Amino acid sequence: MSLLVIQIPSKPRLRARGHRNGSSADAVEAPAVAEYAHAWSSDGRQVERHGRTAPSLMPKADSVVAVLADVDISWHRLLIPKAPANRMRAALAGMMEEVLLDDAERAHYAMGPASKAGEIGMVAVTDGRWLSEQLALLDRANLPVDRVVPASWPVEPAVGHFTTAAADGGSGNAINLSWADSNGVAVLDLQGSLARALLPAVMPAEVQFSASPAAAAAAEAWLGAPVSLLTEQERMLQATTSPWNLRQFELARRHKGSRALRDGWRTLLGPAWRPARIGLAVLLLVQLVGLNLWAAQLRAQVRDKKTEMVSVLQTTFPQVTGVLDAPVQMRREVQTLRALAGIPGPADLEPLMFAAAAAWPAGKPPAETVRFEPGRLSLPAADWRPDEIQRFNAQLQASGYSAVVADGRLQLGPMPGRGS
């Protein structure tokens, strides 16, 4: 399943224009970005195409995932309120009102994948109006976003990723560190002593560090240890494995009809379900092979039975040389021998008459007319009641015969398998 990952540009922020000490600072908003960095993958595991372009020019894919920069999300550990699903967003806004710098009603909230009401959990907060505008812009470009994921998310053991400040919208050669641990995600400027003060004095061995190619040398010099190279495109693709999905509450996708089926199909074709797909394919292959072997065994048994029947026919009746249908030919030969010996068969007149007489209802007058055709005896049934016909048929079946009513007459004959 092809995957298109789009990096949402960082939210425009107020910048100071003039001297850095702020003596002539005029706050202005950063210009809007018309192009988006993106990465395309056919299997969700390796970047095959990437670039920066307008949404309308991006390659199409089966699934679209948007990635938010670390600086655009704040993380909060709190007691998840006990509220119904349709009131959970309002409950979160009420709890976060005194914590957030922006309007709590304008913020967008997303709970962690393992969050439960009444328990401590992690909540991600971002600007709801800004994020909805970004999603609407992509929708207008025919790029409906299936998931919105963070570039970094709370995780244990901790991970760190170094980037140049320019990659986050800044300028110069400053290096930023995105530090993610179980308490959330923080973006730290390596200039000064704040970053070292916030990080553990003795770094645990299981902590993993990576860096963009432009920041690798400075990161290794600051850290005093080698780091793994991770391009921005690879990090974007890596973010799609996040268990978080920020499309919740008012930004949740409305799954209806064919869209729900399409999304479910995309999920099944995703990388997470690849082991299950392989297992299902192996299971189906084993079943197919087993069915073919079973069918071959059944065909061999049928072939052996036919061979045995032909052998019995030719052994019992050596005069039969050409065998076309052994059971039919065997029955004909037996009928011929019985006729030559003067012995009536079950479909002859005498056995049919005896069977009818034995099952004849008590008090019923004898039949006025009797018709016989090979294998069938016909009796009048115009004055027979349904219960009499039922009892008569039950008695006949005990002797291996049956009767049906047709055109006002009882038609008697041997039951299937008894012979003709």
Side-chain angles (χ1 to χ4, degrees):
M1 182 182 70
S2 58
L3 176 66
L4 176 63
V5 190
I6 302 174
Q7 177 67 60
I8 301 296
S10 297
K11 174 187 172 183
R13 287 171 171 79
L14 296 179
R15 289 184 179 177
R17 181 173 58 191
H19 299 288
R20 295 189 62 182
N21 60 12
S23 59
S24 60
D26 293 326
V28 295
E29 287 194 357
V33 180
E35 295 183 343
Y36 291 76
H38 66 274
W40 187 91
S41 173
S42 61
D43 56 5
R45 292 178 295 171
Q46 185 175 1
V47 176
E48 299 174 28
R49 284 186 280 172
H50 63 87
R52 180 179 294 273
T53 184
S56 59
L57 301 178
M58 289 184 183
K60 302 303 179 182
D62 296 324
S63 180
V64 179
V65 178
V67 180
L68 292 189
D70 295 327
V71 295
D72 291 323
I73 306 175
S74 61
W75 302 89
H76 305 269
R77 183 180 295 277
L78 49 82
L79 179 66
I80 304 299
K82 293 183 178 181
N86 60 344
R87 298 289 301 167
M88 181 61 74
R89 194 248 175 228
L92 289 174
M95 295 185 64
M96 303 290 293
E97 187 173 4
E98 297 182 0
V99 178
L100 301 178
L101 297 178
D102 294 333
D103 184 2
E105 290 300 324
R106 176 174 173 174
H108 172 67
Y109 305 91
M111 297 190 301
S115 297
K116 295 181 180 179
E119 297 182 2
I120 299 296
M122 192 68 71
V123 175
V125 183
T126 188
D127 189 322
R129 183 181 302 176
W130 162 78
L131 181 55
S132 63
E133 291 174 355
Q134 296 293 321
L135 296 178
L137 188 150
L138 295 175
D139 278 336
R140 290 193 295 270
N142 198 24
L143 291 174
V145 176
D146 299 299
R147 296 175 61 217
V148 177
V149 298
S152 302
W153 57 93
V155 67
E156 188 65 36
V159 297
H161 180 73
F162 296 89
T163 58
T164 59
D168 292 329
S171 60
N173 297 320
I175 304 298
N176 286 343
L177 169 62
S178 294
W179 174 259
D181 57 17
S182 58
N183 294 318
V185 180
V187 180
L188 307 173
D189 189 344
L190 298 190
Q191 294 179 346
S193 58
L194 179 61
R196 294 194 183 277
L198 295 178
L199 295 183
V202 179
M203 197 66 64
E206 62 271 16
V207 175
Q208 299 179 358
F209 285 98
S210 61
S212 63
E220 291 180 349
W222 185 86
L223 191 63
V227 297
S228 302
L229 287 180
L230 189 67
T231 66
E232 293 305 312
Q233 295 77 30
E234 292 172 338
R235 190 175 184 230
M236 289 164 55
L237 188 61
Q238 185 183 76
T240 62
T241 64
S242 171
W244 285 77
N245 181 14
L246 304 186
R247 294 211 71 164
Q248 300 181 26
F249 303 120
E250 73 278 7
L251 296 183
R253 294 198 62 184
R254 301 295 182 258
H255 298 280
K256 294 183 179 179
S258 60
R259 175 177 290 183
L261 294 176
R262 183 192 64 185
D263 292 342
W265 181 248
R266 287 178 177 176
T267 301
L268 290 177
L269 294 180
W273 284 83
R274 187 170 183 270
R277 294 197 304 271
I278 295 176
L280 180 60
V282 172
L283 179 61
L284 292 177
L285 180 61
V286 170
Q287 292 289 336
L288 182 60
V289 172
L291 288 175
N292 286 333
L293 291 176
W294 185 36
Q297 184 179 8
L298 291 179
R299 286 194 297 268
Q301 293 177 357
V302 171
R303 185 169 58 251
D304 293 342
K305 292 292 184 182
K306 289 183 177 180
T307 302
E308 292 178 5
M309 294 173 65
V310 171
S311 177
V312 171
L313 174 62
Q314 292 181 335
T315 302
T316 308
F317 303 100
Q319 70 275 15
V320 179
T321 55
V323 179
L324 299 178
D325 191 333
V328 173
Q329 290 175 280
M330 177 78 76
R331 187 162 53 248
R332 288 176 180 173
E333 294 297 330
V334 171
Q335 290 174 353
T336 300
L337 289 177
R338 187 171 55 226
L340 292 175
I343 302 174
D348 291 335
L349 176 62
E350 293 86 349
L352 287 171
M353 293 289 291
F354 282 124
W360 199 261
K364 197 73 176 175
E368 297 179 356
T369 60
V370 175
R371 297 178 187 173
F372 174 74
E373 299 177 4
R376 185 174 63 181
L377 180 66
S378 177
L379 305 172
D383 58 342
W384 285 58
R385 299 191 307 272
D387 61 319
E388 292 178 333
I389 296 175
Q390 184 177 2
R391 289 196 299 269
F392 180 64
N393 198 21
Q395 292 288 336
L396 286 175
Q397 290 178 359
S399 303
Y401 293 89
S402 63
V404 295
V405 178
D407 299 328
R409 300 184 68 85
L410 282 170
Q411 308 288 342
L412 279 70
M415 296 179 66
R418 173 151 187 162
S420 58

